[in-house]
Amino acid sequence: MLKLISALCLVLLAGIVSADTPANCTYEEVRGVWIFHEGPRGNTKDINCSADFNLTSAFTVQLDFPNIATDENGNVGTWTMIYNQGFEVTINNRKYFAFSLYVANSLTVTSYCNHTLFGWAHATGVNPTDWSCYIGNKIGGSNKPKTSFSKVRQLLDSKVEKQLYQKNVDFVNEINSKQSSWKATHYDWMEKMTISDLVKMSGGKKSRVASKPRAAPIDEKIALLAASLPTNVDWRNVSGVNYVSPIRNQLSCGSCYAFASMAMNEARLRIKTLNRQQTIFSPQNIVECSEYSQGCDGGFPYLIGGKYAEDFGLVEESCTPYKGQDGKCSTSKSCTRTYSTNYRYIGGFFGACNEAVMRIELAKNGPFVIGFEVTDDFMSYKGGIYHQTTVKDTKNFRFNPFEETNHAVLVVGYGVEEKTSEPYWIVKNSWGTGWGENGYFRIRRGTDELAFESLAVAADIVV
């Protein structure tokens, strides 16, 4: 049985090439009974989980609603989807994470949601030991693959994306004429960038989430807890003290997931040490060294601000200074590592997030990372409380390459506008201080604007 499963995966893996999107698998396609085929344990974290490792054991695990995992021996644990890319299971003092299988040919990228790529397993805890490799295969359910991306569309997009961004005064004026909640402007520095650069800056194509969850319903207990919170929270000014690190600029690299993840850990370190430690962590280390992301092409905060921070630790900016481009891992093994733990989707698992649990997390534990869908009008934000307009910049984004792009940012506060009584989030971006409200923006709260209240991630810094 092990040989048959291994052979099947090897055949499928033979077709994998570099793709512009990851797998696209839904919760229901993953939920069910799986066989995990695992290699020898006892390895260090530099283990190479590729097609050449040996499978030495196997066990079944059932993934149930909403996040319960049970293995064949009756051990009970938890599991969660990781966006649409894969899933992680924690059971019997061990964690199993793998991306879902996808295969590319000349025209399409196809997802096989009943298989995983070769993934990593290890003991639970900070800086884990006892590493091994594994693959997963689902029992039953639909074996039908699905096309997750058309390369015909990719070719159309690529023609547009090579062009330089063009100033579009009519687009900005139309946004400002149709609503008064926020102001749009033109940024001269964007004219020096290609459309491809802007797509990367807004998350990168490999951060796409084709099917975002909606904000979960708010139950009575959570509503009561949220009702007791202050009307306004801003970690930049807590009785005159700022716990948020400075605004940075990711440039044209799709590293927002790394910047937002580092910013969360920076803020939580300041909070936990009462500002005695004001470390700036290195996004470049993530871009160059993390196997859990795709460098300047994108990634996901759950895997970086949480899982990578717990498994491998974060290094200071001075150890691996930011370059804004991909490259070979240059981080010295002598660099000091800072770890986080208890990484989680706010609400408990992927799909359980909502506005109330986000406010509770923010007030209790500090800033956290959120992923949301960037649209072309958001790029022109200057100030005010953002909400999506129907205005489209057809001069620059004729094939809408921003569609489904997942941009990661840091939520640092919330409040209510005095004049209009409109609730909002206060958010730290990574596009420099010249964008938005000195590098920050506010966005409408309580309406799941651009899926803003459905993809929040938090982790606890270890001091």
Side-chain angles (χ1 to χ4, degrees):
M1 179 65 175
L2 288 176
K3 290 182 179 179
L4 289 174
I5 295 295
S6 180
L8 171 61
C9 283
L10 287 172
V11 170
L12 292 173
L13 284 167
I16 294 179
V17 297
S18 178
D20 285 331
T21 62
N24 177 22
C25 296
T26 66
Y27 177 92
E28 289 300 334
E29 288 169 327
V30 171
R31 191 176 94 171
V33 180
W34 287 75
I35 301 178
F36 285 0
H37 302 267
E38 191 172 358
R41 299 182 181 182
N43 298 282
T44 59
K45 64 177 63 178
D46 58 359
I47 186 172
N48 180 17
C49 290
S50 59
D52 58 356
F53 79 88
N54 295 319
L55 301 172
T56 58
S57 63
F59 68 95
T60 60
V61 58
Q62 183 163 331
L63 309 182
D64 288 322
F65 177 85
N67 67 328
I68 304 301
T70 308
D71 70 16
E72 60 189 27
N73 296 316
N75 296 306
V76 178
T78 59
W79 75 285
T80 183
M81 292 289 295
I82 300 177
Y83 307 92
N84 59 340
Q85 291 208 332
F87 59 96
E88 184 173 54
V89 177
T90 303
I91 196 165
N92 199 21
N93 299 313
R94 200 161 180 81
K95 288 189 176 183
Y96 296 83
F97 160 66
F99 293 106
S100 296
L101 179 64
Y102 62 98
V103 175
N105 60 32
S106 60
L107 293 177
T108 61
V109 175
T110 303
S111 297
Y112 294 82
C113 299
N114 55 339
H115 297 281
T116 72
L117 294 171
F118 292 96
W120 301 266
H122 55 70
T124 55
V126 176
N127 193 14
T129 58
D130 194 17
W131 286 67
S132 63
C133 302
Y134 85 102
I135 54 173
N137 304 92
K138 187 178 179 182
I139 301 174
S142 174
N143 292 321
K144 185 179 180 181
K146 63 178 183 179
T147 299
S148 57
F149 188 76
S150 169
K151 289 200 172 183
V152 174
R153 167 63 184 275
Q154 179 188 20
L155 292 173
L156 292 174
D157 281 350
S158 65
K159 293 180 180 180
V160 174
E161 291 172 20
K162 293 177 182 178
Q163 299 174 3
L164 288 172
Y165 177 83
Q166 301 177 54
K167 185 174 183 177
N168 192 343
V169 176
D170 292 339
F171 170 65
V172 171
N173 290 340
E174 187 176 358
I175 292 174
N176 291 329
S177 67
K178 286 194 171 183
Q179 51 81 44
S180 58
S181 180
W182 62 282
K183 293 295 182 182
T185 192
H186 170 75
Y187 293 102
D188 291 340
W189 50 265
M190 286 187 180
E191 294 182 55
K192 300 176 183 179
M193 304 176 75
T194 65
I195 302 301
S196 177
D197 290 335
L198 294 178
V199 171
K200 286 183 177 180
M201 193 176 75
S202 302
K205 289 187 174 181
K206 291 187 179 180
S207 292
R208 278 177 167 167
V209 178
S211 180
K212 294 183 178 68
R214 296 180 179 179
I218 301 174
D219 64 35
E220 185 176 352
K221 181 179 178 181
I222 293 298
L224 287 173
L225 287 173
S228 67
L229 297 174
T231 303
N232 298 277
V233 170
D234 187 347
W235 284 99
R236 299 171 302 174
N237 185 358
V238 180
S239 300
V241 179
N242 178 20
Y243 292 98
V244 180
S245 54
I247 293 288
R248 300 187 65 183
N249 194 334
Q250 68 185 77
L251 306 175
S252 59
C253 173
S255 54
C256 61
Y257 66 98
F259 274 88
S261 296
M262 299 306 100
M264 175 183 68
N265 283 283
E266 289 161 2
R268 293 192 169 208
L269 180 62
R270 292 181 179 213
I271 292 168
K272 200 164 186 177
T273 65
L274 299 179
N275 257 342
R276 288 190 295 270
Q277 294 184 38
Q278 298 188 10
T279 305
I280 302 298
F281 294 116
S282 169
Q284 188 66 35
N285 168 254
I286 305 300
V287 170
E288 291 180 352
C289 305
S290 172
E291 292 189 67
Y292 297 161
S293 56
Q294 292 81 39
C296 281
D297 284 328
F300 294 93
Y302 179 92
L303 295 175
I304 299 305
K307 185 170 178 60
Y308 185 89
E310 181 177 89
D311 291 355
F312 296 93
L314 309 176
V315 302
E316 295 186 19
E317 172 68 15
S318 58
C319 177
T320 314
Y322 190 62
K323 304 172 186 174
Q325 60 188 27
D326 292 313
K328 183 179 179 181
C329 184
S330 60
T331 300
S332 171
K333 291 184 179 181
S334 65
C335 290
T336 301
R337 299 273 173 169
T338 301
Y339 295 87
S340 285
T341 191
N342 190 30
Y343 58 92
R344 60 207 180 268
Y345 288 109
I346 295 175
F349 53 90
F350 184 75
C353 188
N354 58 47
E355 184 266 352
V357 293
M358 287 168 62
R359 283 197 291 127
I360 293 169
E361 175 69 31
L362 184 70
K364 181 180 179 181
N365 298 316
F368 57 80
V369 184
I370 193 77
F372 72 107
E373 181 183 334
V374 166
T375 54
D376 47 0
D377 65 348
F378 180 81
M379 301 291 293
S380 299
Y381 171 88
K382 176 60 178 175
I385 301 174
Y386 174 84
H387 65 266
Q388 186 179 10
T389 69
T390 58
V391 183
K392 301 296 181 183
D393 185 1
T394 55
K395 183 176 183 178
N396 288 292
F397 308 123
R398 287 170 300 206
F399 294 104
N400 191 19
F402 288 112
E403 183 181 6
E404 301 166 356
T405 298
N406 188 56
H407 184 46
V409 289
L410 186 75
V411 179
V412 303
Y414 64 82
V416 178
E417 176 64 37
E418 290 185 7
K419 293 183 180 179
T420 63
S421 297
E422 186 171 26
Y424 59 82
W425 296 107
I426 306 169
V427 192
K428 179 185 181 183
N429 205 350
S430 52
W431 294 349
T433 57
W435 180 89
E437 297 178 332
N438 298 315
Y440 289 85
F441 68 95
R442 287 175 292 161
I443 186 170
R444 187 162 54 182
R445 174 167 59 88
T447 59
D448 198 24
E449 194 74 33
L450 299 182
F452 199 85
E453 292 158 1
S454 62
L455 290 173
V457 172
D460 300 331
I461 198 79
V462 177
V463 177

